[in-house]
Amino acid sequence: MYLKKTVNIWLPILIILALVGATFLNIRLSERFASEDGFATRYMAAKYWIKTGLSPYSQETFEATLELLGESSPRPDSLDKGRFIDPATYVLFYIPLSFLPYPIAKAIWMTIIELSVILSAWLCLKIVRLDLSLIETLLMSLGALFFYPNLKMILSASILPFYIFLLVWAIWLAMNKQGRMAGVLFFLAFAMLPISLVIAIFFMIWMGARRDNSLTTIYFIGLLFMVLIALILFPNWIAEWFEAYLLLYPRFTWIDTPLMRVGELFPGASRQISIGLHVITIIYLFVEWYGLPSKEQRGLQWKLSLTVLLLYLLNPLKPISYMILLFIPLFAIYKYLNEKWRVGGRIITWLSFLGIGVVYWFKGFNQETFVSAESTLIILLLALLCMLGLQYFRWWALKSSNALIETI
């Protein structure tokens, strides 16, 4: 009884202590595990701009990043190779950390990633409305930290989990018809997660059918505002941004979608099969959007789950980094299992969740530690399971009535 009365005191203290402890642990982890470093480029871009006024895309900033990483074991991120290639506005997000020594700043960023992963998993559970006890919800959210793709992003100080959290949060807000706040989060995530544009359009259609255009208005105003702020602070940033891209990738060699991995299974016709799969997937995506405006929460959840899955398959950048989005269709499948079979569904839910985690753990760590190019199995396994599960429960999700579910 005393604990319940004082929860507003001891719970925030406990959370702060946990975050501080995680930060000290992250300092040790970053020293022990040598991997790619996705944070150093942004740290140096913010540090050099705020102290010297040099452009984030400048050669001096690039050389300073390589020098910083040369003092420790991590190597530059495989995508940017030490060059800042984000839209200029995003430099502002890293300025507070740029005043700290790099090891501490990186450890704090790793803690932010860990918090983003936990909250993303928790929001995914809320989005699909999977009925779990408080203990089960905590275990599943915390368990997401030890899922190999997420653990790799933490140890490499990736910048993507934070923006994925913003995207998942935006989805939850949009599903609850909070269009203005959802629009803000969608436009903040846009440049770092281009697939978020398609998800934003998905909700623009759904909310527009209900005569609510708040998301659409805020979204496009926000994008314009970010571009104007960038042009004021960095007048030549657009030209410098394209130049940085061209220096790294004069051709489209950075594209690596999961569907391309499927094509590689057939070496003799990999290019043709890959192109065909991309075209079919895009057509299938828009076909499934037919009837979207009339869907309420239950049908919306299934359509959203399929949309996220198909966008994962089409995503051209670092597929493993986007895998946390697959928790939405995965948790939706668990919801249908628990609805259909109360006891058996709960058992299958936990056995499959643990089983998937074990498979990814052993398959991931059987490779050279934290290599950038993941195996086809790691990239495709969870997506394949989600596709099969969504199709199996299609009628259950779209056609069965709530009354029928409640009587089972």
Side-chain angles (χ1 to χ4, degrees):
M1 181 65 76
Y2 177 75
L3 290 177
K4 289 183 178 179
K5 289 182 178 179
T6 59
V7 66
N8 292 332
I9 299 174
W10 62 262
L11 185 58
I13 294 175
L14 184 62
I15 292 173
I16 292 172
L17 290 175
L19 294 176
V20 172
T23 301
F24 280 105
L25 177 62
N26 289 331
I27 293 175
R28 298 293 301 274
L29 289 175
S30 61
E31 293 173 351
R32 181 174 180 181
F33 292 96
S35 63
E36 294 182 357
D37 191 322
F39 178 65
T41 303
R42 282 83 186 178
Y43 172 85
M44 290 307 298
K47 190 180 187 71
Y48 258 54
W49 178 70
I50 201 68
K51 289 189 174 182
T52 68
L54 284 172
S55 167
Y57 308 101
S58 68
Q59 183 67 20
E60 291 85 354
T61 302
F62 170 60
E63 292 173 356
T65 302
L66 296 183
E67 183 180 352
L68 174 68
L69 292 175
E71 297 172 357
S72 55
S73 52
R75 56 188 182 274
D77 183 83
S78 60
L79 181 63
D80 60 48
K81 297 180 175 59
R83 289 191 180 276
F84 186 80
I85 55 174
D86 302 342
T89 311
Y90 288 85
V91 172
L92 304 178
F93 293 3
Y94 310 104
I95 287 176
L97 293 176
S98 70
F99 292 102
L100 300 174
Y102 179 68
I104 297 175
K106 181 181 178 182
I108 293 174
W109 184 255
M110 291 170 69
T111 303
I112 293 173
I113 296 172
E114 291 160 354
L115 192 60
S116 297
V117 169
I118 293 171
L119 292 176
S120 294
W122 176 68
L123 284 172
C124 288
L125 290 169
K126 292 178 70 68
I127 286 169
V128 302
R129 299 185 180 180
L130 176 56
D131 185 17
L132 296 176
S133 66
L134 177 60
I135 297 298
E136 287 177 312
T137 300
L138 289 174
L139 288 175
M140 197 163 280
S141 299
L142 291 172
L145 275 179
F146 302 97
F147 185 51
Y148 166 75
N150 297 337
L151 187 60
K152 178 179 177 180
M153 287 193 293
I154 292 168
L155 294 175
S156 62
S158 170
I159 51 95
L160 290 178
F162 174 69
Y163 297 100
I164 289 174
F165 163 64
L166 295 183
L167 173 59
V168 174
W169 190 6
I171 291 172
W172 181 74
L173 289 169
M175 292 192 72
N176 287 277
K177 301 179 182 179
Q178 299 181 46
R180 289 183 176 84
M181 188 60 194
V184 171
L185 297 177
F186 272 128
F187 79 68
L188 288 176
F190 165 67
M192 304 308 299
L193 304 172
I195 63 172
S196 66
L197 172 62
V198 182
I199 300 177
I201 293 173
F202 175 93
F203 282 106
M204 289 176 192
I205 295 171
W206 183 72
M207 297 183 72
R210 286 150 183 78
R211 299 183 179 181
D212 183 354
N213 295 314
S214 57
L215 191 157
T216 305
T217 303
I218 293 295
Y219 184 78
F220 289 108
I221 290 176
L223 289 181
L224 179 61
F225 175 76
M226 290 187 70
V227 171
L228 290 176
I229 289 294
L231 288 174
I232 293 171
L233 297 176
F234 312 93
N236 299 318
W237 78 269
I238 296 179
E240 293 176 341
W241 184 28
F242 278 106
E243 182 181 356
Y245 257 112
L246 290 175
L247 284 172
L248 284 174
Y249 301 104
R251 298 181 181 179
F252 293 99
T253 54
W254 48 268
I255 297 178
D256 180 24
T257 71
L259 290 177
M260 290 173 66
R261 297 299 185 95
V262 177
E264 290 173 1
L265 299 176
F266 308 92
S270 61
R271 180 181 177 84
Q272 293 83 352
I273 291 175
S274 177
I275 293 174
L277 287 174
H278 284 80
V279 172
I280 291 171
T281 302
I282 292 171
I283 294 173
Y284 178 48
L285 173 65
F286 290 113
V287 167
E288 284 293 348
W289 280 14
Y290 177 77
L292 173 62
S294 63
K295 298 298 180 185
E296 294 304 327
Q297 285 293 322
R298 186 167 178 80
L300 181 67
Q301 289 165 2
W302 190 91
K303 294 283 188 181
L304 172 67
S305 298
L306 184 67
T307 297
V308 169
L309 172 57
L310 295 179
L311 290 176
Y312 169 81
L313 294 174
L314 293 168
N315 172 52
L317 296 171
K318 288 191 170 184
I320 192 173
S321 300
Y322 290 74
M323 201 166 288
I324 193 170
L325 290 175
L326 294 183
F327 281 19
I328 294 177
L330 180 66
F331 291 164
I333 294 167
Y334 289 163
K335 173 188 176 177
Y336 305 139
L337 282 169
N338 287 315
E339 287 176 345
K340 201 165 188 179
W341 302 290
R342 295 296 186 188
V343 178
R346 189 62 59 91
I347 293 172
I348 295 172
T349 293
W350 280 104
L351 286 178
S352 64
F353 186 71
L354 293 173
I356 291 169
V358 169
V359 170
Y360 271 84
W361 181 274
F362 283 105
K363 181 62 180 176
F365 284 95
N366 278 339
Q367 307 175 115
E368 178 189 349
T369 306
F370 305 120
V371 294
S372 57
E374 300 297 342
S375 69
T376 299
L377 177 64
I378 286 179
I379 290 174
L380 294 177
L381 176 61
L382 184 56
L384 177 61
L385 293 175
C386 289
M387 179 63 78
L388 293 174
L390 288 177
Q391 296 306 323
Y392 180 80
F393 287 108
R394 181 188 180 90
W395 180 88
W396 185 264
L398 298 179
K399 302 297 182 181
S400 63
S401 65
N402 290 330
L404 174 62
I405 293 168
E406 292 170 359
T407 62
I408 291 178

